[in-house]
Amino acid sequence: MPLIDRRSLLVGGLAVAAVWRPLGSARAASFKTDPFALGVASGAPRADSVVLWTRLILQDTSAATSADPFAPAPKQNLDPIDVEWMVAEDEAFSKPVQSGLFRAVPGFAHSVHVEVTGLLPGRWYFYRFRSGNAESPVGRTRTAPAGNADTLRLAFASCQQYEQGFYSAYADMAGRDLDLVVHLGDYIYERSYGAQLVRKHETGVPSMLYEFRDRYALYKSDPQLQAAHAAFPWLAVWDDHEVTNNYAADRAPDAPNRDEFLARRRAAYQAWFEHMPVHPSLAAGFDALRIYDHYRFGNLAGVTLLDTRQYRSPELQGSAGDDRPERTMLGPAQEQWLGNTLGASRAKWNLIAQQTLLAERDTKAGPATAYNLDGWDGYRAARTRLLGAVQTSAVQNPLIIGGDLHAFYAADVKRDFTEEKAQVIASEFVCGSVTSDAPSAASLATALAENPHLKFASDKHGYAIMRLSERSAEVDFIGITDRKQQNSPAAVFQSFAVADGLAGVNRL
């Protein structure tokens, strides 16, 4: 892996001297404020391609100059703007590989999604953007390996409520030796809650497209989050807070009018696309946006991304589970696709990346039971079908990763969670939240006591790293000392190993 000066990943701005290939005259204004203030990112890595992302933040130059580049402009800029992009083998860009122009249009908030093809597998590349007199920070990305690969190092994270803490987890992540980041949802939060907030949304609950855009711009203005985006390619899926809490398909607790909610969801999906390093083809329509997908990392690993929000049945009321077969978490089409995808995989390790805890979790002490029905415990038949697809496919070494619960979990996944000696079908790891409020230590102790298949739980904040090799999968849970403090130290507080053949989760 090439060495990189992490500081250069955040250096950009106006009138930066650089050597670019001659590309002709790009139609762009002379910017008075940095249009690349949201940073750069890459994602969707394949063996021969990767997607590059940025978004131009524009101010109305006819209005009085504002010191805040994220302040809403009095008048929308309706002009397309050409953005130059360049990919090179080295950070100094002395070995350019490809370059070109992208027409950023106001209909997509002047976001840039460039799929760069024809790249070599398993290679690190550097990239940057330029428009007019402004140049972006430098980003680093990596294509997926093809064929044999010795290792894969990935981080996974979720739940980053902006007001409840600082993004020290991402500062730590940016300095790690990783190949990939998987974000499992709740990238933004639609509303304020909690106590001892360290910063403010400053606006209310978004429902219109411009409001969701402003919320993403606020989150992505954070330099520590930008550093993690600039350091590695990302795979991203959403959960509920990107739209509204606990929504299910076309229904939401705070939206009794279905048509109004679908208009809000459409705006939220478009804003998510505009701010994520995802494939440009997703811009085809936002009434329904397919984000479930599969990525191959040579013969070593397959990563399957699921969408557990857009197609699910409505949430049950109460706290008792339900086994009705018509209830679904993924929807029939995604379930069929998942079975086919797993059946075709020949990877040594197969990650199923979804939003929450798959394993059963009884939350009530004693002989009585209670369950979180917004999770898989409210969709038991759907969970049974998913685990049946895993078994039927005979896929090697299935690993489940998730987030959502604001707590770290490690678990053995079984078809029958009531039988202690039942076969382990998969190993599961759930990352704690980056910042969002954690559950009580008492509730986690109850979960461990009532559910023997749950091997570990913690209320720390942070993220997780998984290292895959031919022989084992190793997972580190990384905790932040104090989410309320800027640049809080981070350290591994618990490690696990899963051996080839899935004997279960082992604490190290």
Side-chain angles (χ1 to χ4, degrees):
M1 185 185 72
L3 296 175
I4 182 169
D5 179 357
R6 300 288 181 184
R7 291 172 299 176
S8 68
L9 293 175
L10 297 176
V11 173
L14 302 176
V16 178
V19 177
W20 288 80
R21 283 178 165 181
L23 293 174
S25 176
R27 292 198 302 172
S30 179
F31 300 100
K32 294 183 179 180
T33 59
D34 181 12
F36 297 108
L38 300 187
V40 300
S42 68
R46 306 287 186 184
D48 63 348
S49 67
V50 71
V51 172
L52 308 181
W53 174 92
T54 192
R55 178 194 162 194
L56 302 180
I57 291 292
L58 307 176
Q59 285 189 282
D60 182 6
T61 56
S62 66
T65 301
S66 170
D68 179 7
F70 307 105
K75 181 176 66 177
Q76 184 181 13
N77 187 315
L78 299 178
D79 296 326
I81 298 177
D82 286 347
V83 180
E84 304 177 41
W85 57 268
M86 177 184 285
V87 176
E89 293 181 358
D90 64 321
E91 189 180 358
F93 289 83
S94 63
K95 299 178 181 179
V97 174
Q98 291 191 44
S99 58
L101 283 178
F102 183 93
R103 178 67 50 86
V105 299
F108 294 120
H110 292 98
S111 61
V112 175
H113 294 80
V114 177
E115 183 187 23
V116 183
T117 60
L119 301 176
L120 296 176
R123 295 288 188 94
W124 287 101
Y125 291 96
F126 296 84
Y127 63 94
R128 64 187 177 191
F129 302 92
R130 185 180 69 169
S131 187
N133 63 325
E135 183 174 313
S136 78
V138 174
R140 186 184 67 156
T141 191
R142 182 176 174 84
T143 52
N148 294 328
D150 295 331
T151 60
L152 179 68
R153 299 152 300 197
L154 62 93
F156 53 102
S158 72
C159 303
Q160 53 195 51
Q161 215 283 357
Y162 179 85
E163 300 171 307
Q164 292 180 3
F166 296 105
Y167 291 160
S168 301
Y170 287 122
D172 182 78
M173 185 187 294
R176 299 275 179 171
D177 185 10
L178 302 172
D179 301 308
L180 178 71
V181 175
V182 180
H183 198 281
L184 297 166
D186 293 344
Y187 189 97
I188 64 165
Y189 276 67
E190 83 286 13
R191 65 185 69 242
S192 299
Y193 71 96
Q196 298 179 330
L197 303 180
V198 299
R199 45 191 180 177
K200 298 288 188 180
H201 282 157
E202 303 295 352
T203 56
V205 178
S207 61
M208 307 294 287
L209 178 56
Y210 78 91
E211 294 171 324
F212 280 107
R213 286 170 172 171
D214 287 348
R215 184 59 50 86
Y216 275 99
L218 176 67
Y219 278 56
K220 295 185 79 70
S221 68
D222 186 281
Q224 294 174 323
L225 178 58
Q226 288 185 21
H229 269 298
F232 321 104
W234 283 41
L235 296 176
V237 288
W238 57 48
D239 194 17
D240 54 344
H241 287 288
E242 285 88 350
V243 182
T244 192
N245 187 39
N246 289 356
Y247 85 91
D250 59 354
R251 304 184 188 186
D254 65 347
N257 184 297
R258 177 179 178 272
D259 290 339
E260 289 180 1
F261 172 69
L262 286 177
R264 187 202 312 182
R265 195 187 78 168
R266 184 185 312 117
Y269 284 4
Q270 178 169 342
W272 180 89
F273 164 79
E274 292 170 349
H275 293 85
M276 292 293 110
V278 293
H279 198 277
S281 63
L282 270 63
F286 301 107
D287 287 314
L289 191 60
R290 173 181 157 170
I291 64 168
Y292 61 87
D293 207 343
H294 179 78
Y295 289 84
R296 177 184 172 188
F297 295 86
N299 297 327
L300 183 63
V303 178
T304 303
L305 305 175
L306 298 184
D307 179 353
T308 64
R309 280 291 162 189
Q310 189 172 186
Y311 315 106
R312 65 162 64 187
S313 302
E315 182 181 341
L316 296 168
Q317 300 301 310
S319 60
D322 190 325
D323 291 324
R324 284 179 292 172
E326 67 270 19
R327 287 183 53 74
T328 181
M329 181 76 98
L330 304 177
Q334 187 177 186
E335 284 188 3
Q336 182 177 3
W337 169 87
L338 176 62
N340 294 339
T341 298
L342 294 178
S345 176
R346 299 296 178 266
K348 184 76 170 182
W349 299 92
N350 289 272
L351 277 68
I352 299 176
Q354 46 83 60
Q355 286 70 20
T356 189
L357 176 70
L358 183 67
E360 183 176 292
R361 186 182 58 143
D362 176 6
T363 62
K364 192 173 185 64
T369 59
Y371 300 95
N372 170 26
L373 300 186
D374 183 57
W376 284 99
D377 286 330
Y379 301 83
R380 292 173 177 272
R383 177 169 58 199
T384 299
R385 289 193 298 271
L386 186 154
L387 294 177
V390 170
Q391 288 185 299
T392 301
S393 69
V395 70
Q396 292 189 67
N397 297 320
L399 301 169
I400 314 296
I401 61 174
D404 177 53
L405 298 181
H406 306 179
F408 289 91
Y409 283 98
D412 291 335
V413 179
K414 307 174 181 182
R415 285 289 287 270
D416 184 356
F417 291 102
T418 64
E419 177 53 56
E420 186 175 352
K421 295 183 179 180
Q423 178 188 358
V424 176
I425 297 173
S427 297
E428 180 170 21
F429 300 95
V430 172
C431 58
S433 71
V434 173
T435 58
S436 304
D437 285 349
S440 69
S443 69
L444 297 182
T446 297
L448 289 175
E450 296 296 314
N451 305 276
H453 51 276
L454 298 181
K455 303 301 181 182
F456 180 83
S458 171
D459 60 356
K460 290 182 180 292
H461 298 275
Y463 69 103
I465 289 178
M466 178 178 287
R467 297 180 300 279
L468 301 176
S469 68
E470 281 290 321
R471 294 187 176 184
S472 68
E474 297 179 351
V475 176
D476 291 336
F477 285 169
I478 299 173
I480 302 303
T481 302
D482 185 354
R483 62 180 168 140
K484 303 292 187 182
Q485 297 295 321
Q486 274 278 27
N487 303 311
S488 182
V492 176
F493 68 92
Q494 184 61 58
S495 297
F496 306 87
V498 178
D500 178 22
L502 277 178
V505 173
N506 297 301
R507 289 175 64 171
L508 298 179

